[in-house]
Amino acid sequence: MIDLSTKYLGLTLKNPLIVGSSGLTNSLEDIKDLEKKGAGAVVLKSIFEEEILMEYEQELKNVAFDDNNLEYYDYFDYKIKEENLGKYIALIESCKKEVNIPVIASINCISSAEWSLFAKKIQDAGASALELNAFILPTDLTRSGAETEQLYFDIIKNVKKVVRIPVSLKISYYFSNVAQMIQQLSETDIAGLVLFNRFYSPDFDIENRKVLSTHVLSSPQDLAISLRWIAIMANRVNCSLAASTGVHDGEAFIKQLLAGADAVQVVSTLYKNGTDQITRILNDLEDWMRKNKYAAIADFKGQMSQENSHNPAIFERVQFMKYFGEMKK
Ligand SMILES: Cc1cc2nc3c(=O)[nH]c(=O)nc-3n(C[C@H](O)[C@H](O)[C@H](O)COP(=O)(O)O)c2cc1C
């Protein structure tokens, strides 16, 4: 018997495949389908901090026109947040009743401000855990790298003040010392890190001089960055690690487990191949484990991490010296 179960954020998952936050995890029907196809857990589509605040500001402008009463603002503040959250909370509550796999809520945040109170409502609605998609692109010329990094710690502190469910942090690799930052974050109260989130990438339409958003979906080649950092950080962190970005098939999935991931998130491949891809990936994993005589995930997880490598420098090699020397036109 092959046992695919794994521990992630202190939760027991029946297998390490998590459907990542996206439009695929936005409704009860879709989540039930993902569960039926075999997913070990799902991360709900994020509530965006910016979205909520933008709407809030717009409403404030409207009321400020005829009413300056502060109590009135307070009322509005409360009501608008309730409206935004209402649907999300209802989704968590219905998942709690009708879905058996862990459902992880998600907030996309860029500051450590008042939105952290939402986390408590998410917990009270029955979410198994909360993933914070900390989306801070370091473009602010007036903010130092250290200040930007501090924001992540402030976010965790504020959220952990109000919730006791496991909290994970989904981050980018835009840090001057990625390894140290990952390790330091893992020493906080978070239960896990997701390496890495993926940004919209700008592109240009040169005929109409317009900026476009392209490559919304990842490609299999995008695997390399998270594979490298999962392999480097495995067993060097004090929390769970989930791999995300570029996992499109069973082979890539197995690579991330060999690198040392406790769980692996998939999104783009499900958009491209349909949700049956979940079953295919899990079947490939089982076939490979059977062929290699592994009975459980722990039998091979992290076997190819940097720590277990005979040639650890290979994970740090970034130059193409050999290829430049040998490559023919
Ligand atoms: C259509 C779409 C919507 C997404 N929405 C969210 C979101 O709301 N919150 C979030 O943290 N990530 C979101 N993501 C990012 C995914 O969760 C994931 O990190 C990214 O797609 C990389 O994984 P992949 O290579 O398996 O697609 C979204 C991705 C796609 C394609």
Side-chain angles (χ1 to χ4, degrees), residues 89 92-93 95-96 103 120-129 165:
I89 295 299
I92 297 170
E93 284 170 347
C95 286
K96 177 89 183 152
V103 172
K120 169 95 169 65
K121 296 196 179 202
I122 282 171
Q123 168 180 280
D124 295 347
S128 307
I165 52 172

Side-chain angles (χ1 to χ4, degrees), residues 148-165:
T148 302
E149 289 177 4
Q150 185 57 42
L151 261 175
Y152 290 81
F153 295 94
D154 293 345
I155 288 171
I156 295 166
K157 207 167 86 192
N158 280 356
V159 172
K160 281 308 290 186
K161 251 191 241 163
V162 293
V163 296
R164 46 170 207 289
I165 52 172

Side-chain angles (χ1 to χ4, degrees), residues 237-274:
V237 288
N238 192 21
C239 68
S240 302
L241 281 182
S244 168
T245 300
V247 177
H248 281 246
D249 55 23
E251 189 180 341
F253 196 88
I254 294 162
K255 287 179 188 175
Q256 291 287 19
L257 295 173
L258 280 168
D262 298 295
V264 182
Q265 298 196 359
V266 293
V267 172
S268 293
T269 189
L270 307 186
Y271 276 104
K272 287 184 182 171
N273 302 303

Side-chain angles (χ1 to χ4, degrees), residues 20-23 45-46 48 106 108 131 133 170 196-198 216-218 244-248 265-269 271:
S21 179
S22 62
K45 174 97 183 103
S46 304
F48 280 64
S106 166
N108 185 312
E131 183 177 285
N133 183 15
K170 186 179 186 187
F196 294 106
N197 58 16
R198 190 162 186 274
V216 174
L217 300 181
S218 70
S244 168
T245 300
V247 177
H248 281 246
Q265 298 196 359
V266 293
V267 172
S268 293
T269 189
Y271 276 104

Side-chain angles (χ1 to χ4, degrees), residues 87-210:
K87 281 189 200 142
Y88 205 68
I89 295 299
L91 177 61
I92 297 170
E93 284 170 347
S94 46
C95 286
K96 177 89 183 152
K97 280 193 210 121
E98 299 189 41
V99 177
N100 293 313
I101 54 174
V103 172
I104 302 168
S106 166
I107 300 178
N108 185 312
C109 50
I110 50 168
S111 77
S112 62
E114 56 187 11
W115 61 263
S116 52
L117 294 175
F118 298 159
K120 169 95 169 65
K121 296 196 179 202
I122 282 171
Q123 168 180 280
D124 295 347
S128 307
L130 173 62
E131 183 177 285
L132 302 173
N133 183 15
F135 198 123
I136 306 167
L137 197 66
T139 52
D140 187 343
L141 294 173
T142 64
R143 194 159 65 191
S144 70
E147 283 170 319
T148 302
E149 289 177 4
Q150 185 57 42
L151 261 175
Y152 290 81
F153 295 94
D154 293 345
I155 288 171
I156 295 166
K157 207 167 86 192
N158 280 356
V159 172
K160 281 308 290 186
K161 251 191 241 163
V162 293
V163 296
R164 46 170 207 289
I165 52 172
V167 172
S168 60
L169 193 68
K170 186 179 186 187
I171 56 171
S172 76
Y173 42 85
Y174 287 99
F175 298 108
S176 58
N177 186 344
V178 188
Q180 190 185 59
M181 184 66 178
I182 290 173
Q183 192 171 56
Q184 287 178 353
L185 287 169
S186 84
E187 299 291 339
T188 66
D189 283 341
I190 53 167
L193 282 159
V194 183
L195 311 183
F196 294 106
N197 58 16
R198 190 162 186 274
F199 304 107
Y200 276 114
S201 314
D203 196 4
F204 287 177
D205 170 349
I206 58 170
E207 295 309 326
N208 299 302
R209 262 78 73 202
K210 280 197 173 141

